[in-house]
Every structure is written in C-alpha cells, then in structure tokens.
Amino acid sequence: MFHSANWDQDYCVKGRRLAIIGTGASAVQFVPRLAPEAGHLTLFQRTPTWILPHPDRPISESGRSVFEKFPPAQRAMRRIFDLFQEALLPGLIRHRSLLAPLTALGRAHLRRQVKDPILREKLTPSYAFGCKRPTFSNKFYPALCRENVTVETTGIDAIVPEGIVTTDGTVHEVDAIVLGTGFTVAGHSGFRRIVGRGGTSLADTWKGGEMSSYRGTTVHGFPNFFMLLGPNSVVYTSQVVTIEAQVNYILAALHAMDSQAIWVLEVSKRAQTEFADHTDAQLAGSVWNSGGCSSYYLSPSGRNVTYWPGSVRNFSRRMSTIELGHYHCRSAAVDATKESV
C-alpha cells in the first residue's frame, strides 16, 4: 500500500489486482495509466468528481512561430484564458445559476464517454458544480469503462491481509492498494516549527484546522512572519498569480520596515478579525460553502479557510501596498528611547 505522492517505483503493476482509494484530481491522472496494465483494478469511490473535457491541445509549429515573433499575441491568448476563468467567479460566489453551462458540459461529457447507465449513475455527482475541485480529463471515464475495471461505491470497513472489506461484508482481494486520498492542508507538520509570541506555535493557533490570517499572508501573534498561500488567499485562476501578489506585498512590507526603521511588524487582532468576518460574509452563499458537499476548502466548523472573497484583480490590488495602520509597529527609535530612559 502506498500513497500517490510517495509512489513505489519498484512495484510492477502489470497483471496485478489493484485497489484505488479516491476519485479526486490524483486518481483522475493515474488511473488511466494503471488500468491497461492491471490484471484487475477496483476503484473505491466515496464521492464522484465533476469532470470536464480536457482542453489542452498541442500548439502547432506555426502557432509557436506566431507567439515567438509577436509576443502580444501570446499575451492576448493568456488574457483570454484569464478572463474566462475570472468570469466563473460570480457563479461560484453569488449566482449559482451561471454555472449551469458547466454543469451541462460535465453531464454531457459523462454521457458521451460512459454508455453503461449503472456506471454512469455511480459517476454522477449529486452536489453543485464547483463545490469540490472539478477536474479535466478525456481518459478517466474510458478507463473506468474497461472490462478489467470495477467502480465500488460501498463504504470501506477495514483493510485486511487479503485486501479491502466493505461495509456489506464483501472481501475484495487485491495485491496492492494505491491511495489517492488527498493531502494534509490544515495540519501541516511545519506549523509546529513556527513559534510566535509567548511560545505559541502556528499549529496551536490553528488547532483543529481552524485557520485564520490577514489576507493569507500575516497572522496576529506572529511578528515579522510572512507566508505564501496562507488561509483565504486562493484565487480561482492560478496560484502563481497569488504568489506573485503576495511577494509584492511582502516586499512592500520589508521596504516600509527598512525606510522607517521598523523592527517589529505584527498585524493587529482587529484587522485580522475584520478580514475574517468580511471573508465569511462574502463566501457564506458561495458554492464552496453551500453546494452540498464536504471538501478540504472548509474547516471542521464549516468555515471556508481557502478562498479569497473576490476576484484576482481585487486580490492583486489589495496586495499592491501595505497599510501600516493595520499593523502594530515598533521602531528602532522607540526602542532606543526606552533603553536611554
């Protein structure tokens, strides 16, 4: 048994009986590669995933030549993709009916690739599109339609030497189990190594997955600490955009500290609380919060600790400068005065 993130490169799957646990983004990628090699593959599914046609296509020689000779053409194409993804935001946050075309596309993709009505029913999500992370694949559904593949939706009760026991008492005999069960987001081990004021670690502050921050970058109680991709910093385009905006914000903070001789910079509790309250209010009716599913976007209490409450342009604009009024600052001059007294 091994996780997809820690693949056993020495294990040969050819002709083996494989069990896959999970149907998210990881499984969508590796199941089509394993199915043709396996003697039999059983996919254990708790919740089906919305899957859309994969849009990527090879760029022709002539297309690459155009991009090389006319860089504005490449920037324009990137801009088109960016605007398309940004156009999804109103449907994801407020007006769920705007997601109907993508829901229809997902259902059509499933009908086109899966002819067996029983299998198709198993693979049809019952929650709103976007509630969980949707994926893109043209190969996942065909892999599940192979004669040597079974989709099992009965819950797992136990792992035994022979394989997997489901809640109906059936023993599924397998040679290996591949886990596509996701990743630990809230309980990262590194949080224990980051210690703030009073000796409290970030893990203690965010105990139970209840993560909170100021604009996904600073945390009250942790002076001079900045992070990338923190709570509520995810935008619905590319996290490269998030990282670049946060780097600009951190550089602005460092410049302010340098120019004003600030030794300590710590976001105020009030600023962090106001940001959290605003985020909660904005995302309360979003598809992530109320779309009928359970996902890693939400904390155990149901708070959305993942998404930014607005567009990527709003995020970039808000992160373009640092508002020192939202921070407790201590300068070298103040400390020098205290020492002289």
Side-chain angles (χ1 to χ4, degrees), residues 287-329:
V287 70
W288 306 305
N289 288 40
S290 57
C293 74
S294 174
S295 73
Y296 68 85
Y297 300 153
L298 308 180
S299 72
S301 69
R303 181 177 184 272
N304 192 323
V305 296
T306 306
Y307 277 101
W308 174 261
S311 68
V312 63
R313 276 149 195 80
N314 172 263
F315 181 78
S316 298
R317 184 172 62 253
R318 297 285 295 277
M319 303 299 286
S320 61
T321 58
I322 183 167
E323 298 164 321
L324 291 180
H326 294 175
Y327 285 81
H328 297 307
C329 305

Side-chain angles (χ1 to χ4, degrees), residues 110-321:
L110 177 59
R111 286 195 304 270
R112 184 171 60 249
Q113 292 200 319
V114 180
K115 302 304 181 183
D116 180 355
I118 297 177
L119 178 58
R120 190 165 61 238
E121 179 65 24
K122 288 182 178 181
L123 299 174
T124 301
S126 60
Y127 55 89
F129 179 89
C131 185
K132 285 179 176 285
R133 176 186 175 186
T135 59
F136 299 85
S137 178
N138 299 325
K139 299 178 180 179
F140 183 65
Y141 286 151
L144 302 186
C145 294
R146 294 176 57 92
E147 292 185 357
N148 68 324
V149 174
T150 301
V151 176
E152 179 58 63
T153 58
T154 306
I156 295 174
D157 183 61
I159 306 295
V160 296
E162 295 77 21
I164 295 177
V165 181
T166 48
T167 54
D168 60 1
T170 303
V171 178
H172 301 263
E173 296 187 357
V174 298
D175 300 309
I177 300 173
V178 183
L179 303 174
T181 48
F183 303 88
T184 300
V185 177
H188 195 284
S189 60
F191 296 162
R192 293 193 293 271
R193 298 195 293 271
I194 300 171
V195 180
R197 192 179 303 283
T200 302
S201 72
L202 201 57
D204 292 332
T205 301
W206 289 348
K207 192 174 182 179
E210 299 299 326
M211 301 188 294
S212 180
S213 72
Y214 178 69
R215 299 183 182 179
T217 311
T218 53
V219 180
H220 176 69
F222 292 80
N224 296 350
F225 170 65
F226 302 91
M227 74 178 81
L228 300 178
L229 299 179
N232 297 114
S233 66
V234 171
V235 295
Y236 208 77
T237 51
S238 167
Q239 297 332 299
V240 174
V241 177
T242 301
I243 292 169
E244 289 176 344
Q246 287 182 298
V247 167
N248 289 336
Y249 186 82
I250 295 169
L251 289 174
L254 295 176
H255 177 72
M257 295 177 74
D258 185 51
S259 62
Q260 301 183 37
I262 296 173
W263 283 19
V264 178
L265 192 67
E266 179 184 352
V267 67
S268 70
K269 185 175 182 179
R270 177 179 178 179
Q272 182 170 315
T273 300
E274 288 179 348
F275 171 70
D277 291 344
H278 170 72
T279 298
D280 292 347
Q282 290 292 103
L283 299 182
S286 70
V287 70
W288 306 305
N289 288 40
S290 57
C293 74
S294 174
S295 73
Y296 68 85
Y297 300 153
L298 308 180
S299 72
S301 69
R303 181 177 184 272
N304 192 323
V305 296
T306 306
Y307 277 101
W308 174 261
S311 68
V312 63
R313 276 149 195 80
N314 172 263
F315 181 78
S316 298
R317 184 172 62 253
R318 297 285 295 277
M319 303 299 286
S320 61
T321 58

Side-chain angles (χ1 to χ4, degrees), residues 70-135:
F70 304 101
Q74 185 181 37
R75 289 196 293 271
M77 178 169 282
R78 291 182 65 182
R79 179 69 169 168
I80 290 171
F81 287 132
D82 178 48
L83 290 175
F84 172 76
Q85 288 185 288
E86 278 281 81
L88 298 177
L89 195 63
L92 293 166
I93 291 185
R94 289 189 182 86
H95 308 290
R96 202 172 301 172
S97 60
L98 297 177
L99 299 175
L102 291 176
T103 302
L105 178 60
R107 293 186 185 280
H109 187 51
L110 177 59
R111 286 195 304 270
R112 184 171 60 249
Q113 292 200 319
V114 180
K115 302 304 181 183
D116 180 355
I118 297 177
L119 178 58
R120 190 165 61 238
E121 179 65 24
K122 288 182 178 181
L123 299 174
T124 301
S126 60
Y127 55 89
F129 179 89
C131 185
K132 285 179 176 285
R133 176 186 175 186
T135 59

